[in-house]
Amino acid sequence: MTTTTAHLLSHLVRTVREHHLFDPGDTLIVAVSGGADSTALLHLLAKFPGYNLNLIAAHLNHSLRGAEADADEEFCRTLAGKLGIPIETGRVDVRALAEREGLNLEDAGRRARIEFLDDISRTYRAAVVLAHHADDQAETFMMRLLRGSGMTGLSGMTYRNGRDYIRPLLDISRCEIEVYLRSCSLEWREDASNYDISYLRNRIRHQLLPLLEEYNPAIRTCLASTASIINDDETLLKQLTLQAFDESCRMDNGRIVCNVGRLRTYITALRRRVLRYAFKHLVGTLTGMSRRHIDALCNMIDSERPNSRLALPHAVAAVREYDCLILMKQSTASPETGYELQITAPGFYQLPSGGSLTVASADTADFPTDPDTACFDLGMLPFPWLVRTFQSGDRMTPFGMSGRKKVKDIFIDRKVPISVRSRVPLLFCGTNLIWLA
């Protein structure tokens, strides 16, 4: 084993142990394209000392470069065979996928690869190992910086992500990888599309970063290091966000209910993170959730208006109800339809909006203290009664008062949320509202 080979292998072992990327005896799916990075990765993992790994190579043919793409696939088959590693292959017409889904080729290829690798990962119940390296990290950092991104985006790629994808080469440069390949007399394939500057990543790789190297020759290392530092800070902030979310929000029948007063105590940066986390917790993704939406939610929280509503991506509604901010999918929103129900005699009545009404005779003149119970004189308020939902303009004479008051004003005084008002039963005798239950 050459000094270069031993150095890179020991570096990889240290990274795997430091970040707990996999354990001895694990099965790993290794994504291989035939390029320098994935060729080196598969070769290094095949020699990984003391772990006795069960490796499966995985190659997806994008069908974009005709005979060259087929040659890449054959190269990967041969490489895996020489190393005694089984290989899974797939073929997707990425151009057709891009046209069908309205994507550019880069995004369509990424989607196809993820679906292909996820399928294999589920089959073998194994993590996927990718060959992204330090130069890729620097390019990703610049791409996200140019497009506009917060700390989450600028933290770059992680050694392990939520999909159980592992990147053990993130702190190894492309130059080190090529030196390793040459020292082992290993060949690799060059993808001509990597030089196509119609792709943003390639323009950054071949135009922007060489220009920046005139100002700082170590710019790639610097950017990768910055992404790593931000990632460490991002890990801390995620912990603080989760703690703040647990303090201020709760799940309630498929909705997320947040305490407005508590959210107001958080500094703006933490409040934004809690809101983003709440949305992702409800929907499963932040796709489409922009800074504009988060700012609108913050304005709802800060507003003096006790009731308001906001439409968010993925058919999510944000509803402010006094001291509660509720995030819910539109399908879980409370129905606004009203109902009417005749009460002709004592008995049990199921209410269409939920809950029930029990009417029973009682030989007592004592007024109940239970707010869910009311007592009436049937001699003055005979059957039939009517139970219905609130309508604009409803008024009643509250017990102990002589004047009539709008039901809406009573709701406001008691801070009854708008979404609840449509479910509150109103009991009438004739046209006289006798109980706001």
Side-chain angles (χ1 to χ4, degrees):
M1 184 181 294
T2 67
T3 303
T4 300
T5 303
H7 169 74
L8 200 61
L9 192 56
S10 64
H11 188 148
L12 183 62
V13 170
R14 184 169 64 251
T15 299
V16 167
R17 290 175 177 169
E18 179 180 348
H19 297 279
H20 310 290
L21 298 183
F22 49 79
D23 295 316
D26 277 358
T27 297
L28 299 175
I29 312 300
V30 187
V32 289
S33 66
D37 316 328
S38 61
T39 298
L41 175 64
L42 189 66
H43 194 261
L44 284 162
L45 291 177
K47 300 171 63 174
F48 205 80
Y51 271 61
N52 193 28
L53 297 170
N54 180 28
L55 303 177
I56 295 97
H59 175 82
L60 180 65
N61 188 329
H62 290 193
S63 305
L64 286 174
R65 295 178 294 113
E68 284 190 28
D70 294 340
D72 289 347
E73 180 178 338
E74 186 57 35
F75 174 86
C76 291
R77 290 183 185 276
T78 302
L79 173 65
K82 288 180 179 178
L83 295 172
I85 296 171
I87 185 169
E88 296 277 358
T89 61
R91 184 180 294 260
V92 173
D93 188 339
V94 168
R95 193 177 303 280
L97 174 64
E99 293 175 357
R100 187 170 62 249
E101 301 294 335
L103 303 170
N104 61 44
L105 288 177
E106 195 173 9
D107 289 337
R110 184 183 304 109
R111 179 182 294 187
R113 285 193 301 275
I114 289 174
E115 184 175 341
F116 170 69
L117 293 171
D118 281 351
D119 284 345
I120 299 175
S121 176
R122 284 189 291 268
T123 299
Y124 288 93
R125 297 182 180 179
V128 174
V129 189
L130 304 176
H132 294 122
H133 49 74
D135 290 47
D136 292 324
Q137 184 76 294
E139 294 163 9
T140 299
F141 182 92
M142 286 304 304
M143 286 179 66
R144 294 177 179 177
L145 181 65
L146 292 173
R147 287 172 172 169
S149 178
M151 283 186 62
T152 302
L154 295 180
S155 63
M157 297 178 285
T158 56
Y159 286 97
R160 180 192 292 274
N161 67 13
R163 307 181 74 91
D164 211 17
Y165 282 20
I166 297 169
R167 301 182 179 94
L169 303 182
L170 270 185
D171 54 358
I172 296 173
S173 71
R174 166 79 183 209
C175 180
E176 290 176 287
I177 289 171
E178 290 191 6
V179 169
Y180 170 81
L181 290 170
R182 293 189 180 99
S183 71
C184 296
S185 300
L186 292 173
E187 296 181 350
W188 67 89
R189 298 280 296 174
E190 288 289 354
D191 184 345
S193 65
N194 287 334
Y195 298 92
D196 183 353
I197 59 173
S198 64
Y199 297 114
L200 175 60
R201 180 178 290 274
N202 287 343
R203 293 199 298 276
I204 290 172
R205 178 182 300 167
H206 300 299
Q207 296 177 343
L208 180 57
L209 288 178
L211 177 62
L212 293 177
E213 283 175 333
E214 296 178 12
Y215 297 87
N216 179 359
I219 187 64
R220 298 173 195 265
T221 301
C222 181
L223 292 176
S225 176
T226 300
S228 178
I229 292 170
I230 293 176
N231 184 63
D232 289 341
D233 290 344
E234 180 68 11
T235 300
L236 171 62
L237 289 171
K238 284 179 180 177
Q239 293 176 354
L240 294 175
T241 299
L242 184 58
Q243 179 181 339
F245 176 83
D246 290 340
E247 292 173 350
S248 59
C249 305
R250 58 184 170 84
M251 291 297 298
D252 179 24
N253 293 324
R255 309 179 307 165
I256 293 181
V257 181
C258 302
N259 184 288
V260 169
R262 173 70 72 171
L263 289 175
R264 282 177 173 173
T265 66
Y266 298 150
I267 61 173
T268 302
L270 182 57
R271 187 195 302 179
R272 286 184 182 136
R273 284 178 169 271
V274 170
L275 293 172
R276 284 169 59 85
Y277 180 86
F279 183 87
K280 186 174 183 181
H281 192 64
L282 180 68
V283 177
T285 180
L286 284 171
T287 303
M289 190 64 169
S290 68
R291 169 70 179 273
R292 176 173 55 85
H293 295 116
I294 297 297
D295 286 346
L297 286 173
C298 288
N299 290 336
M300 288 180 72
I301 292 167
D302 291 331
S303 174
E304 294 302 319
R305 293 180 58 195
N307 296 286
S308 55
R309 189 180 184 94
L310 174 68
L312 296 174
H314 299 280
V316 170
V319 180
R320 165 81 186 275
E321 295 180 340
Y322 296 103
D323 200 38
C324 289
L325 176 68
I326 303 169
L327 299 183
M328 57 186 172
K329 295 181 180 178
Q330 297 284 13
S331 59
T332 64
S334 302
E336 300 296 335
T337 56
Y339 66 87
E340 291 188 355
L341 181 66
Q342 290 284 341
I343 306 294
T344 57
F348 175 84
Y349 298 86
Q350 191 72 47
L351 301 179
S353 62
S356 61
L357 175 68
T358 300
V359 180
S361 299
D363 297 324
T364 177
D366 294 334
F367 286 99
T369 58
D370 179 1
D372 291 332
T373 306
C375 186
F376 302 101
D377 185 344
L378 277 176
M380 297 181 65
L381 301 170
F383 294 126
W385 291 344
L386 175 72
V387 179
R388 67 164 171 81
T389 49
F390 168 68
Q391 295 176 5
S392 179
D394 282 339
R395 296 172 181 268
M396 73 178 300
T397 302
F399 187 73
M401 294 179 60
S402 57
R404 286 160 60 82
K405 187 170 184 178
K406 289 183 178 180
V407 172
K408 179 181 178 180
D409 292 339
I410 297 174
F411 281 146
I412 292 173
D413 292 344
R414 296 293 296 271
K415 296 186 176 181
V416 178
I418 291 176
S419 62
V420 175
R421 295 175 192 177
S422 62
R423 300 198 303 270
V424 174
L426 278 64
L427 182 64
F428 290 82
C429 179
T431 60
N432 186 20
L433 175 54
I434 60 176
W435 189 26
L436 180 58

